[in-house]
Amino acid sequence: QLHYLAANYSSQENHCSLIRSGVLECPNRCGQTYKSTGNLNRHLRYGCGAPPKFKCIICEKAFSRKDNLKTHMIIKHKMVTH
């Protein structure tokens, strides 16, 4: 399976290297790195390999997260969404 949570870093070697470096790398080898397991887990759930679920009604740009679509609408189209 492509997606799994950062908590699945079970080997002692991986755990120690993550603590020493202070950086969590995406286990799917996409190149993304994170400072917290929460952000890595969010990436694994909604970003890495997941198809975009939210589409801008104006320009049709697609986003995997609703908060990113909302930010896009405010910045690019000067619209406030609810």
Side-chain angles (χ1 to χ4, degrees):
Q1 184 179 1
L2 192 77
H3 304 281
Y4 66 95
L5 299 181
N8 288 347
Y9 280 113
S10 58
S11 79
Q12 187 66 25
E13 183 180 319
N14 280 341
H15 178 71
C16 290
S17 67
L18 290 172
I19 290 174
R20 277 194 299 271
S21 68
V23 174
L24 299 166
E25 296 179 2
C26 176
N28 296 330
R29 308 275 187 235
C30 74
Q32 294 291 324
T33 58
Y34 299 91
K35 290 184 180 181
S36 74
T37 56
N39 289 342
L40 173 57
N41 286 336
R42 182 178 60 209
H43 165 75
L44 291 171
R45 270 191 233 108
Y46 303 112
C48 190
K53 299 175 187 174
F54 305 96
K55 191 179 265 191
C56 176
I57 59 172
I58 297 171
C59 68
E60 298 191 12
K61 182 171 181 171
F63 299 88
S64 58
R65 292 179 25 209
K66 189 175 183 179
D67 61 319
N68 289 339
L69 170 59
K70 185 175 181 176
T71 300
H72 165 81
M73 296 294 289
I74 293 168
I75 293 172
K76 296 293 182 183
H77 303 299
K78 310 296 188 236
M79 295 180 68
V80 177
T81 59
H82 299 280

